Amino acid sequence: MSCASATLVVWTSGWLHGLAASDDVLDALQTWAELHEVVADDDGTATALDLPGPDEAPVGPALLLAALRRAGATGARLVLPVAGDVRGLGGKGPLSQCALRAGEAIVVPSVSVGLVPKLVADGVMRWTVFDLPTSSGLEHIPIGEAEHGLGAAMREAASTLVTLDVARHRPNVRKEIAELATANSTLPWPQGMPPRALRVLQRAAEVDAILKVAASDTPGGAMSASATEARAQALRPLSDAVRRARCAAVDEAVRVLADQSAGRH
C-alpha cells in the first residue's frame, strides 16, 4: 500500500490551496487509524506552532492543520527513508532517526518542520512534529523518470520471481499479489488528483506487492544463506524504484493541486 504520510501530504496540500475542506483531510486519515493525535517533539517546536510539547496531552490533527496555516505553510513533501538514505530530513537528529524507524515522514520546508506517524495503540496513530533544520538534499524526481524506472522494475520483478523460484510452493501467488496491489486502489484522494500520479501510485503498489510476496516466501527457492542474500540483492533495486515512484507521484499531485488552485484565482 501507500502510507499515512502520503495521504496527509496530498490532502493537506489540497486543503492549503482551498481544494479540500479540513473535514476531508480528517476523513482521509481514517484509512490508517480511527484516532489521530499530534504532539511536538520538543518545547521549541511546540511554542513555535502552538502545539502541545512532549510532556503534554496530544491534540487532534485539526489543530495541526490550523498551526501549519498560521505558520505560512505552502505545501509538503513525502520522504521514504531507508538505511543509508535519509536525505531531506536535516541530517542526523531526532527527525531522521524517528523517520527511519517508521520508514516514512513528511517535511514542510516552508515552516521548517517534519512529521512522523506511529501507531501507539490499537487504532491510534500519533504524529510527532519535529524541527527541520534544513531540507537540503531532498531529491526532486520527475514523474516521467520515475514511471519509466518503475516500468523497468516491473519487468525485472517478473523475471526475478522466476529466476529465484520464490513461488515454487505457492500456487496462489498471483492471487496474493493481485489482492495486495488492489488494496491501494481504495485509498481516498482529493478531487483533481492527477491521473498520472494515480497510475504511478497503482503501479508502485503492484511492484510492492511482488516484493512483499517474494520477501515472505521463506525458504521458497532460496535454500541457503547465499541464495537468500542473492534474493535480497536482486529485489533491492525494485524496492528503490517503488520509493522513488511514490515520492514522485505525491510531488506531482501536490504540484498539480497547487496549479489548479492558482488557476481559480
Side-chain angles (χ1 to χ4, degrees), residues 61-156:
L63 293 182
L64 169 66
L65 296 178
L68 292 176
R69 173 160 284 172
R70 282 196 309 270
T74 56
R77 296 192 66 183
L78 173 67
V79 183
L80 299 174
V82 292
D85 185 1
V86 293
R87 286 174 293 179
L89 294 173
K92 295 180 180 179
L95 172 58
S96 60
Q97 292 171 9
C98 191
L100 194 56
R101 288 193 296 270
E104 60 180 283
I106 295 170
V107 295
V108 191
S110 54
V111 295
S112 300
V113 297
L115 298 90
V116 180
K118 179 183 179 181
L119 283 171
V120 294
D122 187 27
V124 181
M125 179 168 283
R126 176 174 295 173
W127 295 85
T128 302
V129 186
F130 296 84
D131 175 57
L132 177 66
T134 173
S135 60
S136 62
L138 190 59
E139 183 181 16
H140 171 69
I141 306 164
I143 193 167
E145 177 184 318
E147 187 171 22
H148 176 77
L150 197 56
M154 291 179 71
R155 292 188 291 273
E156 186 177 345

Side-chain angles (χ1 to χ4, degrees), residues 183-262:
N184 199 54
S185 64
T186 62
L187 291 175
W189 298 109
Q191 186 175 3
M193 184 77 168
R196 191 176 195 183
L198 289 173
R199 182 173 70 242
V200 171
L201 285 171
Q202 183 59 37
R203 288 183 177 176
E206 293 166 4
V207 178
D208 191 47
I210 293 171
L211 288 167
K212 282 183 168 60
V213 168
S216 65
D217 188 83
T218 304
M223 302 302 293
S224 66
S226 61
T228 300
E229 177 59 24
R231 177 170 64 179
Q233 291 288 346
L235 294 176
R236 191 165 293 120
L238 310 184
S239 180
D240 290 341
V242 169
R243 289 172 55 234
R244 288 172 58 85
R246 284 177 169 157
C247 289
V250 169
D251 275 356
E252 176 71 359
V254 170
R255 182 191 68 79
V256 169
L257 291 172
D259 287 349
Q260 288 177 2
S261 174

